[in-house]
Amino acid sequence: REIKYTFTAAGAQHSSEDLGCVGIRAVSGDGLYIAQFNRIGFTLSRVKKYENWTTFCIESNRLWNLYREFLNPLMIKRIGVRFINRMLANYESREFLTVFKDAPKEKQISDWGLEGFLHRDVIRIPNTDYRINLIKTVVSSPTKQNEVTAVLDCDVFYDKEMPCEWDNIAEHLKV
């Protein structure tokens, strides 16, 4: 719920207004799907083990219809799909360095130990209203010196205000 409070210059509460539901975050029973509904957007995330695109589109349509039923938005600003991959890796392994080639090396930071890393690229798909947030995150293990948890988060989204009138969201997830 979102509640708006107004205060006087002296700090006393002047009024409050309940603005209703701001959004919903739902996680499937198996933890593999995460849906976020709010007044201006719909996002469906999938964590591994990944299925095929058809299965993903069926689930996105089911949740899209729930989103429209619960929040009943007239306009929507953002529709997104995310694939989040979390993996354990050895910081010095060839596979890790290929995917996370822009990660700083500990030697670049004098004798300090690197405990985390975050890199975000925003990519525009030409001649469309689609964007991609490509987020790379690394967190070091508190117990193993060269072991890290690496997260690769690919967020593809449609970034344009539009009427919320689509019956089949899967048709709009194709580029």
Side-chain angles (χ1 to χ4, degrees):
R1 302 198 72 77
E2 180 177 9
I3 300 175
K4 177 181 174 182
Y5 292 98
T6 306
F7 294 92
T8 65
Q13 182 177 339
H14 179 66
S15 66
S16 66
E17 178 184 1
D18 187 343
L19 301 174
C21 180
V22 174
I24 298 168
R25 182 177 186 269
V27 179
S28 63
D30 59 10
L32 298 178
Y33 283 100
I34 302 164
Q36 296 173 332
F37 307 161
N38 62 46
R39 290 184 185 152
I40 62 166
F42 169 89
T43 300
L44 179 60
S45 302
R46 171 71 188 193
V47 297
K48 68 176 192 177
K49 169 180 181 215
Y50 303 112
E51 298 174 309
N52 58 52
W53 186 250
T54 302
T55 304
F56 183 83
C57 286
I58 290 168
E59 184 65 3
S60 67
N61 274 329
R62 186 180 77 77
L63 293 170
W64 172 253
N65 289 328
L66 287 174
Y67 167 71
R68 290 177 61 204
E69 179 183 334
F70 286 139
L71 292 175
N72 194 25
L74 299 176
M75 299 292 287
I76 190 167
K77 169 80 173 115
R78 186 184 199 280
I79 295 174
V81 295
R82 294 177 79 175
F83 294 91
I84 304 167
N85 198 355
R86 177 181 296 265
M87 56 205 132
L88 288 176
N90 181 303
Y91 187 72
E92 297 171 352
S93 73
R94 168 173 255 136
E95 293 82 14
F96 175 81
L97 293 174
T98 300
V99 175
F100 289 85
K101 63 182 175 191
D102 297 327
K105 309 291 184 274
E106 288 200 24
K107 302 289 187 236
Q108 293 173 319
I109 313 173
S110 187
D111 292 331
W112 298 5
L114 180 67
E115 292 196 6
F117 166 75
L118 172 70
H119 181 92
R120 176 178 173 239
D121 292 311
V122 181
I123 303 161
R124 179 182 47 82
I125 300 174
N127 305 315
T128 73
D129 291 310
Y130 289 92
R131 306 285 185 272
I132 300 171
N133 282 321
L134 185 59
I135 303 162
K136 301 173 187 177
T137 307
V138 176
V139 180
S140 65
S141 168
T143 57
K144 297 184 181 175
Q145 186 173 12
N146 287 333
E147 189 174 277
V148 296
T149 299
V151 178
L152 182 61
D153 180 349
C154 183
D155 174 21
V156 181
F157 59 98
Y158 188 82
D159 189 28
K160 182 179 180 182
E161 190 168 18
M162 65 200 124
C164 186
E165 54 192 25
W166 298 340
D167 291 329
N168 183 351
I169 191 174
E171 292 299 314
H172 301 279
L173 297 177
K174 298 175 186 174
V175 177

